[in-house]
Amino acid sequence: MSSSANAVLQAEPAPIRACTVSRDVQIFDLLIEDMEAALGEAWGDLGFSDALSFLEQPDAGDLEFIAIALDAEDEADLSLVIDIVAAAKARDIKVILITEDVSPASLHKLLKEGGDEFVPYPLPEGELVRAITRSRQPAHAAPVDDVPDENRTKIKATGDRSGVVIPVQGMAGGTGSTTLAVNLAWELAGVDGADAARVVLLDLDLQSGSVSTYLDLPRREAVLELLSNTDAMDSDAFMQALLTFQDKLQVLTSPSDLIPLDLIGPGDVQKLIEIARTNFDYVVIDMPKTVVEWTETVLSEAHIYLATLELDMRSAQNTLRLKRAMQAEDLPFDKFRFALNRAPGFTDLSGKSRVKRLAESLGIAIEVLLPDGGKPVAQQADHGVPLGVGVPKNALRKEIMKLARSIHEINVGEEVEGRKKARKT
């Protein structure tokens, strides 16, 4: 065989379409696997010191994206990483950030400086491929967070309210905290008929929040942008990130991407709640199941803090641990109002006795008894409608409606009393 024929048979090396950039890519072994699965051999690897010089070379013009992998040790070189991001953006190269144990402040800065996508490490299944797909979206295409007109919030910021803050947290998974948060917010939005209250529902379960599913609302890129730069957040930016359900309930969904719970800190959450309560009469917050560094912030801002539990050992143990932690830190545990999900019926004397023993053993008062609404509860969640819309006569819906009315009556009574005192002074 001639040498020319042999040359024809030799495969051309695949062009490099992407590069990882890290201190040592071997630290991120899952990233190597996912890059090979997504790109085969059409990717390379650069160290931080080499990345800047490479991005100035003509060959860098063929890159679609760079994947910058960071851990806590790399925060000391954050200025160099920011320079790499800037160099990539100057060449119109997308930047995917892959971080492990990086502080929220550093992540904020990198996203603000031009990071296009964020993926936590260890990499969730398929998340890198989804990030790559989003990064390849042409600039003229409709934005990822484009939403139908009927879901766009039409109300404007007022800044003249002093809303009631009502977080809802489950003492264990599956105790109905999101069901309560969504349906309580919906009932509050309609509790006063024609003179309806302004209600916003914040989904702060940043990783597994499902409020958007329960109300059939799209998740928005605007939410991550809002949370990533709260320094620039004002009432107008907050309102623009909201979606509406049937023009009655305003919703801040959890972000479209999986993000770390510490992406936001206590200061970010305090500002978010403050802007929400100055524009709405009620601020209902669906909390993550875990206690995070900003849980104390939410508790301090809350007027009442609803906690859902069930008649089982896991709920009892977690409630007791939470109570001890709150009291050890001298936090306002008295703000907690416990709601028992799937509570025994009126005629179930044995079940009612168990509820009493549970409350006594934990040293708490179980003030809200939520009946088992049966299969329709899960069905309505899957259909993306509140119980009051889909099954208005459901027993669980009726109890949540009573709770909403009780909260509203107390709030209105306090407002009237406050105005009377103001006139006297």
Side-chain angles (χ1 to χ4, degrees):
M1 185 177 294
S2 68
S3 59
S4 60
N6 192 32
V8 170
L9 291 176
Q10 286 181 344
E12 293 250 345
I16 300 300
R17 294 156 49 200
C19 278
T20 56
V21 180
S22 64
R23 185 175 77 256
D24 180 1
V25 75
Q26 297 301 323
I27 299 171
F28 302 91
D29 53 345
L30 295 177
L31 175 59
I32 297 173
E33 294 176 10
D34 282 8
M35 289 289 286
E36 289 177 347
L39 300 170
E41 297 181 358
W43 66 283
D45 175 58
L46 295 166
F48 290 133
S49 57
D50 302 324
L52 276 179
S53 58
F54 178 78
L55 289 170
E56 294 173 356
Q57 303 298 319
D59 289 346
D62 296 328
L63 293 181
E64 295 178 13
F65 68 90
I66 59 172
I68 303 179
L70 308 161
D71 61 17
E73 288 187 34
D74 297 314
E75 292 194 69
D77 297 319
L78 198 63
S79 59
L80 174 58
V81 178
I82 290 172
D83 289 343
I84 294 170
V85 171
K89 302 307 291 183
R91 300 293 299 268
D92 200 24
I93 298 168
K94 299 292 185 180
V95 177
I96 298 175
L97 301 170
I98 296 156
T99 68
E100 181 179 25
D101 298 329
V102 171
S103 71
S106 296
L107 187 54
H108 280 186
K109 195 163 189 179
L110 289 168
L111 288 168
K112 187 177 179 181
E113 293 294 333
D116 295 289
E117 298 287 340
F118 160 74
V119 184
Y121 190 90
L123 297 165
E125 185 70 30
E127 194 59 33
L128 180 64
V129 172
R130 286 189 284 271
I132 293 171
T133 300
R134 289 192 297 269
S135 73
R136 288 172 173 166
Q137 189 175 30
H140 61 270
V144 174
D145 69 338
D146 195 24
V147 295
D149 287 340
E150 62 266 24
N151 293 140
R152 293 191 180 278
T153 294
K154 300 172 181 64
I155 64 174
K156 303 299 183 183
T158 61
D160 60 352
R161 310 284 169 127
S162 183
V164 176
V165 180
I166 310 171
V168 184
Q169 182 167 352
M171 293 296 95
T175 58
S177 57
T178 299
T179 297
L180 177 57
V182 168
N183 286 281
L184 177 62
W186 174 253
E187 298 299 339
L188 285 169
V191 74
D192 229 357
D195 190 22
R198 283 169 59 123
V199 182
V200 65
L201 173 58
L202 310 180
D203 191 349
L204 293 190
D205 190 356
L206 302 181
Q207 291 193 339
S208 56
S210 52
V211 166
S212 60
T213 303
Y214 281 46
L215 294 174
D216 193 25
L217 294 172
R219 296 175 189 261
R220 305 187 67 190
E221 292 295 314
V223 175
L224 181 56
E225 293 173 9
L226 183 80
L227 298 178
S228 298
N229 188 17
T230 57
D231 289 342
M233 178 175 58
D234 57 16
S235 290
D236 290 333
F238 173 74
M239 300 298 284
Q240 289 169 11
L242 300 179
L243 296 174
T244 188
F245 181 83
Q246 295 191 3
D247 290 330
K248 287 177 62 177
L249 175 62
Q250 314 310 314
V251 183
L252 184 74
T253 68
S254 58
S256 55
D257 295 328
L258 186 70
I259 66 173
L261 290 172
D262 61 359
L263 174 72
I264 52 178
D268 302 312
V269 172
Q270 186 171 23
K271 185 172 183 180
L272 182 70
I273 294 175
E274 181 62 24
I275 290 177
R277 67 187 300 267
T278 56
N279 288 285
F280 289 90
D281 300 301
Y282 294 100
V283 180
V284 181
I285 305 174
D286 191 23
M287 293 288 288
K289 303 300 181 291
T290 55
V291 174
V292 292
E293 66 168 339
W294 41 266
T295 300
E296 180 181 345
T297 303
V298 177
L299 179 59
S300 66
E301 296 291 328
H303 292 80
I304 57 171
Y305 200 112
L306 294 172
T308 58
L309 68 161
E310 292 190 354
L311 273 173
D312 57 22
M313 188 60 70
R314 64 198 182 110
S315 292
Q317 290 176 338
N318 289 343
T319 301
L320 188 59
R321 293 164 66 195
L322 176 69
K323 179 183 176 183
R324 288 172 177 169
M326 294 288 117
Q327 293 177 337
E329 297 293 328
D330 198 25
L331 297 175
F333 186 72
D334 59 316
K335 288 187 178 182
F336 276 81
R337 299 292 183 270
F338 289 92
L340 182 67
N341 193 27
R342 300 184 181 90
F346 181 74
T347 59
D348 185 356
L349 298 182
S350 174
K352 292 174 73 174
S353 177
R354 288 178 61 204
V355 174
K356 183 179 179 182
R357 290 199 302 272
L358 175 66
E360 290 175 348
S361 66
L362 297 175
I364 63 172
I366 298 177
E367 301 179 41
V368 183
L369 299 178
L370 301 174
D372 188 345
K375 291 183 179 179
V377 176
Q379 289 170 349
Q380 299 311 303
D382 288 343
H383 293 159
V385 294
L387 297 174
V389 175
V391 283
K393 295 183 179 180
N394 184 277
L396 177 59
R397 186 264 169 160
K398 290 180 179 179
E399 199 61 38
I400 295 176
M401 182 171 61
K402 284 170 56 180
L403 175 62
R405 285 177 177 168
S406 173
I407 292 172
H408 184 63
E409 287 170 3
I410 293 171
N411 182 41
V412 170
E414 289 179 348
E415 287 181 352
V416 171
E417 191 64 29
R419 285 195 292 269
K420 287 180 180 178
K421 290 181 179 178
R423 283 198 295 269
K424 288 179 180 179
T425 56

